[in-house]
């Protein structure tokens, strides 16, 4: 293959990963911190996600010669961001990540489990996701009132990006946030130690608690399967590729299990990134687009090297800056999930109940609102859908 023939798939893979990474890493760091990770543990989680995804992407695409792309679960990270530390703290969260990874692997080997998850009405799963990301999506509005000098430039850059180059709107907002942080550091005469810029792995011995299993592992598994893996398969099919289900889902499970002790919350089949790496931008020859996944894997490794630096930058950011970037990054997720939850007239009440419980942020018996939202939605759905049998 000539250099010109290689250039298109290679560049498509690089662009897909850069866009995906810069568009959602703030959500990942926010989510890990919400469930108990400190700055070093969150940075380690970001690095572990990049490395495990890189290995999985390179192996799967080379084995099957199709442009399979793995990613972290942005909806899962948003789910975590709407939580607080559970009983057992960060070790219990790590244990929940590992349990979710084991569930992914089991789903690959035992398709019945996947079909069981698929029986959860899509509007309920989408409403749960919409509810948990709602609070994060309101952060730009609240931060704009509290700290307009720092937030206005970020929002303006994002808005211009949406108008001119939607794919790059959130990365551009992050660049603007970086400039705002830099100016603030100069004004305060502070800096970041060079030692804080080096990537690091911080291992945590996992623990398990009932609250972590029900409040983190179960919602994380459901939202990742419903919002990432299933749509990822559909997107690949629309592009003319049949995803090898068992190999792919088992690989995501193993990757999650391997990365969890270092803080990685969830690895899954990519959806939006897959469309970038497997679509026409990766070249006219569909049989050669798997090369885009190879370059994506290498790019993951390079981006992982910046994990500690990004976590250090987040730590010194002015109030509301990172929350604004994370909120802007999730606006598309909120819009899609609201549309999906309300797309069917029948069962809309169950979706609304799910959304309200998830958005409430309640915690009862140590279990967060995401799990209670699923319960509420299923109960309302069952009651409204129940038809008594007529006796003959």
């Amino acid at each position: 293959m000539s250099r010109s023939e290689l250039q298109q798939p290679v560049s498509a893979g690089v662009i897909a990963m850069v866009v995906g990474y810069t568009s959602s890493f703030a959500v990942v760091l926010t989510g890990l911190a919400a469930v108990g990770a400190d700055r070093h543990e969150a940075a380690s989680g970001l690095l572990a996600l990049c490395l495990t995804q890189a290995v999985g992407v390179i192996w799967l695409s080379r084995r099957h010669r199709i442009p399979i792309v793995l990613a972290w679960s942005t909806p899962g990270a948003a789910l975590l961001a709407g939580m607080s530390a559970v009983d057992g703290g960060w070790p219990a969260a790590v244990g929940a990540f590992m349990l979710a990874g084991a569930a992914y692997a089991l789903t690959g080997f035992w398709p019945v489990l996947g079909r069981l998850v698929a029986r959860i009405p899509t509007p309920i799963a989408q409403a749960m996701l919409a509810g948990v990301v709602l609070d994060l999506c309101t952060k730009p509005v609240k931060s704009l009132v509290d700290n307009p000098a720092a937030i206005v430039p970020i929002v303006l850059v994002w808005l211009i990006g949406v108008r001119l180059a939607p794919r790059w709107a959130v990365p551009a907002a992050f660049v603007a946030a970086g400039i705002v942080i830099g100016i603030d550091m100069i004004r305060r005469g502070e800096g970041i130690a060079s030692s804080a810029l080096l990537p690091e792995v911080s291992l945590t011995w996992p623990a398990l608690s009932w609250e972590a299993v029900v409040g983190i592992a179960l919602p994380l598994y459901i939202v990742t399967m419903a919002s990432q893996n299933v749509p990822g398969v559909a997107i690949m099919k629309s592009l003319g590729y049949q995803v090898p289900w068992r190999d792919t889902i088992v690989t995501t499970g193993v990757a999650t299990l391997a990365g969890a002790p270092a803080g990685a919350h969830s690895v899954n089949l990519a959806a939006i990134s897959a469309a970038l790496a497997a679509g026409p931008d990766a070249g006219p020859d569909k049989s050669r687009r798997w090369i885009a996944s190879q370059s994506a894997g290498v790019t993951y490794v390079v981006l992982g090297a910046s994990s500690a630096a990004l976590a250090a930058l987040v730590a010194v950011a002015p109030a509301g800056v990172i929350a604004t970037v994370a909120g802007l990054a999730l606006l598309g997720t909120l819009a899609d999930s609201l549309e999906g939850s309300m797309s069917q007239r029948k069962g809309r009440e169950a979706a609304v109940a799910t959304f309200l419980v998830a958005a409430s942020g309640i915690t009862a018996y140590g279990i967060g609102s995401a799990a209670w939202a699923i319960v509420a939605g299923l109960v309302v759905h069952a009651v409204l859908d129940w038809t008594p049998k007529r006796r003959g």
Side-chain angles (χ1 to χ4, degrees):
M1 180 181 287
S2 67
R3 178 178 295 183
S4 60
E5 291 174 316
L6 274 173
Q7 184 177 359
Q8 200 166 358
V10 168
S11 62
V14 172
I15 291 171
M17 293 309 98
V18 170
V19 171
Y21 185 94
T22 55
S23 295
S24 58
F25 82 89
V27 182
V28 173
L29 293 177
T30 302
L32 296 179
V35 292
D38 62 26
R39 190 190 83 191
H40 302 286
E41 290 162 341
S44 173
L46 194 60
L47 174 61
L49 284 166
C50 289
L51 296 182
T52 52
Q53 288 163 185
V55 173
V57 165
I58 291 173
W59 184 79
L60 284 170
S61 60
R62 184 172 292 275
R63 173 178 170 83
H64 297 283
R65 288 298 196 270
I66 60 175
I68 298 175
V69 177
L70 303 183
W72 56 56
S73 176
T74 300
L79 179 76
L80 300 179
M83 298 180 178
S84 55
V86 296
D87 184 31
W90 176 240
V94 169
F97 300 162
M98 295 191 72
L99 188 61
Y104 301 148
L106 184 61
T107 302
F109 284 117
W110 191 31
V112 172
L113 186 58
R115 289 195 291 270
L116 184 63
V117 174
R119 292 185 64 182
I120 297 175
T122 299
I124 290 178
Q126 292 291 337
M128 187 263 284
L129 179 57
V132 298
V133 304
L134 179 63
D135 184 61
L136 261 179
C137 289
T138 62
K139 294 294 186 183
V141 180
K142 297 175 182 177
S143 301
L144 190 62
V145 175
D146 297 334
N147 193 4
I151 306 305
V152 167
I154 300 171
V155 175
L156 284 178
V157 169
W158 170 81
L159 187 59
I160 293 170
V162 171
R163 178 66 180 87
L164 300 178
R167 184 184 299 176
W168 296 95
V170 175
F174 165 65
V175 172
I179 295 172
V180 169
I181 296 170
I183 293 173
D184 183 70
M185 290 172 60
I186 293 172
R187 182 180 61 81
R188 291 185 287 118
E190 296 183 2
I192 299 175
S194 57
S195 59
L197 305 178
L198 299 176
E200 58 180 321
V201 174
S202 177
L203 298 176
T204 299
W205 187 261
L208 276 181
S209 67
W210 173 249
E211 291 87 349
V213 172
V214 178
I216 296 180
L218 180 60
L220 181 60
Y221 171 75
I222 291 173
V223 78
T224 299
M225 291 298 298
S227 301
Q228 292 282 160
N229 287 331
V230 173
V233 170
I235 287 174
M236 289 292 286
K237 187 174 183 179
S238 71
L239 294 170
Y241 299 100
Q242 189 67 39
V243 173
W245 175 259
R246 173 171 291 186
D247 267 10
T248 302
I249 302 304
V250 170
T251 298
T252 65
V254 172
T256 301
L257 280 166
H265 70 291
S266 181
V267 176
N268 46 252
L269 185 62
I272 297 174
S273 298
L276 296 175
D281 289 343
D285 188 350
K286 291 175 61 177
S287 66
R288 298 285 190 178
R289 291 179 188 171
W290 67 275
I291 297 171
S293 294
Q294 297 287 294
S295 68
V298 175
T299 305
Y300 268 140
V301 176
V302 175
L303 291 172
S306 67
S307 56
L310 290 173
L313 196 66
V314 167
V316 299
V321 167
I322 299 304
T324 295
V325 176
L328 294 174
L330 288 172
L331 287 181
T333 299
L334 177 62
D336 291 342
S337 55
L338 283 174
E339 181 182 7
S341 65
M342 300 297 159
S343 59
Q344 302 174 19
R345 178 63 189 89
K346 183 180 179 181
R348 191 172 292 178
E349 294 82 0
V352 170
T354 304
F355 171 77
L356 291 175
V357 174
S360 71
I362 61 168
T363 298
Y365 304 104
I367 299 170
S369 61
W372 290 119
I374 297 171
V375 173
L378 290 176
V379 168
V380 174
H381 174 78
V383 170
L384 297 182
D385 203 49
W386 178 69
T387 302
K389 293 182 180 180
R390 295 182 180 179
R391 294 183 179 180

